[in-house]
Amino acid sequence: MRRICKDERRIQSVNSSEEMAVSGMSAGRSAMRMGPAELVQAAAMARRFYLEGKSKIQIAEEFGVSRFKVARVLETALERDLVRIEIRVPAELDAERSDALRARYGLRHAVVVESPAEAEESPDPENLGEVAADLLGELVTEGDVLGLAWGRSTIHMAAALDRLPPCTVVQLTGVYDAGTAERGSVEAVRRAAQVSGGDAHPIYAPMLLPDAATAAALRHQTGIARAFEYFDKVTVACVSIGSWEAGISTVHDMLTEEERAHYASLGVAAEMSAHLFDAEGRRVGRDLGERCITVKADQLRRIPEVVAIAGGQRKAAAIDAVLRSGLVTSLVTDTAAADALLMAGPAPRSALNRTDPDDALRA
């Protein structure tokens, strides 16, 4: 019994000495070059830990050392650049801005794409559509109903799609010009349905009609009515955002000068799917919706995942306004817009708090 105790004291003494030696490495041996045996052992331990997923205790048992030495060797391997830990995403993605934007607006997903220097002022660079297509490939699951609203960015997204689980695809708005439907939203819906192998429900009608009566009559047409029946079933939607200026807002371009001036006087700062918003995200000009073939704002608010695709510094204020509306849960944008958004005033409420901003005024 006395001999066992002596052995135990010897083992404890060895371990203690080893721990003291290891703890002193940074002050002593870490300043010296590691010998070949030490390098080989450190590399082997690092391989076991980082690549093979073994615990420090398992490594200690394999090499006949204490777990404290293993911990110190792994630390030294990092200090000596034997091991490099990198968090890498594709070069076109900006992970830091993405995370900052997600946190600022309380989004479910925010993906920021590097914008080409020569295109920083241009709205909606085409590469946004490519990244949005990959994001939809992640978000859409089998049996979902995917809704696509009119917009250049959603058209680019649909063209870039190469994978989607089986799902139904429905058009959420009419088109800018019925004569270009084959090259616009209708084709985007068909393309997405073709990739997914699901049913397509396009809308062969303009987004904006001359009056409410004409719009109401079109909504009752068989094909359009069938698409509208799916609006309450949409689980993932993809929308575009427009600034209230020529060439960057579909609705702006479709209105007369007198109508533009009228809605501008109401403080419109952005539009999305033919809905107008002021800088605080409140809807304005609701009468316009009566003339439009589009999904209702309340229906958008009930869709679990609404992905907006919009970029460019010129659209930053419009993106901010729409994010404040509570209608959007995720965003694909570029660095030019992201930088402006991250520097814009006080942080808004979480985008996932999907109540209507007007409710706060009425309360």
Side-chain angles (χ1 to χ4, degrees):
M1 190 72 175
R2 190 175 296 116
R3 182 178 178 181
I4 293 175
C5 290
K6 285 181 179 179
D7 288 343
E8 287 176 347
R9 283 195 297 271
R10 182 180 63 80
I11 292 169
Q12 291 172 356
S13 176
V14 169
N15 284 341
S16 296
S17 299
E18 187 177 56
E19 289 166 27
M20 290 175 62
V22 168
S23 65
M25 276 183 83
S26 59
R29 299 188 63 176
S30 62
M32 301 166 56
R33 292 183 61 182
M34 294 176 72
E38 291 175 311
L39 286 169
V40 170
Q41 185 183 68
M45 289 183 176
R47 177 175 292 278
R48 303 291 193 279
F49 185 73
Y50 291 108
L51 299 183
E52 298 177 12
K54 291 187 176 181
S55 69
K56 293 173 184 176
I57 293 176
Q58 289 174 316
I59 298 170
E61 291 175 351
E62 179 182 347
F63 286 87
V65 298
S66 72
R67 61 185 176 86
F68 300 102
K69 179 172 182 178
V70 173
R72 184 55 196 159
V73 168
L74 292 174
E75 184 179 340
T76 303
L78 286 171
E79 293 172 355
R80 296 301 186 86
D81 217 20
L82 293 177
V83 175
R84 296 182 184 180
I85 297 177
E86 296 181 351
I87 300 172
R88 303 182 63 184
V89 295
E92 70 271 16
L93 301 183
D94 192 308
E96 186 175 351
R97 285 185 176 92
S98 297
D99 188 55
L101 204 59
R102 180 200 55 76
R104 173 177 170 79
Y105 286 93
L107 294 163
R108 186 171 292 121
H109 304 286
V111 182
V112 177
V113 181
E114 193 71 35
S115 50
E118 67 276 8
E120 285 189 353
E121 297 299 323
S122 301
D124 303 336
E126 288 193 24
N127 60 341
L128 293 185
E130 297 171 5
V131 174
D134 287 340
L135 179 61
L136 282 189
E138 291 182 46
L139 299 180
V140 176
T141 59
E142 184 172 352
D144 275 343
V145 177
L146 172 62
L148 301 181
W150 193 96
R152 283 179 290 270
S153 56
T154 52
I155 292 170
H156 292 152
M157 180 277 300
L161 281 172
D162 59 9
R163 63 185 177 98
L164 271 182
C167 64
T168 299
V169 186
V170 60
Q171 192 170 323
L172 295 179
T173 65
V175 297
Y176 174 68
D177 181 351
T180 62
E182 293 299 319
R183 301 189 300 276
S185 299
V186 171
E187 181 56 33
V189 170
R190 286 176 171 170
R191 166 67 182 167
Q194 180 184 28
V195 172
S196 74
D199 293 332
H201 295 278
I203 294 177
Y204 295 95
M207 181 187 296
L208 180 65
L209 282 302
D211 53 67
T214 304
L218 277 177
R219 292 190 198 105
H220 287 91
Q221 287 191 358
T222 304
I224 297 174
R226 187 178 299 116
F228 268 60
E229 290 173 359
Y230 277 92
F231 286 0
D232 287 326
K233 303 174 185 177
V234 174
T235 50
V236 180
C238 192
V239 300
S240 297
I241 295 173
S243 300
W244 194 246
E245 56 180 299
I248 312 184
S249 164
T250 300
V251 174
H252 180 280
D253 291 346
M254 288 191 290
L255 296 173
T256 65
E257 287 290 344
E258 183 179 354
E259 290 170 330
R260 292 171 190 163
H262 166 67
Y263 291 116
S265 71
L266 301 179
V268 60
E271 62 99 350
M272 179 184 70
S273 302
H275 300 293
L276 309 182
F277 305 88
D278 68 11
E280 298 302 318
R282 296 183 294 258
R283 288 181 60 213
V284 296
R286 297 190 183 212
D287 60 304
L288 185 67
E290 297 176 6
R291 296 169 50 192
C292 292
I293 302 297
T294 186
V295 62
K296 294 179 181 178
D298 288 342
Q299 290 174 313
L300 277 173
R301 202 179 303 279
R302 292 193 294 269
I303 296 174
E305 185 73 76
V306 178
V307 181
I309 314 170
Q313 191 172 0
R314 291 173 64 187
K315 277 196 176 183
I319 296 170
D320 178 71
V322 172
L323 291 181
R324 291 172 184 270
S325 73
L327 296 178
V328 170
T329 60
S330 298
L331 174 69
V332 177
T333 190
D334 64 350
T335 52
D339 286 343
L341 290 168
L342 292 171
M343 293 188 295
R349 63 178 185 162
S350 170
L352 299 182
N353 175 16
R354 306 186 70 188
T355 56
D356 191 330
D358 286 348
D359 290 344
L361 297 179
R362 290 191 286 266

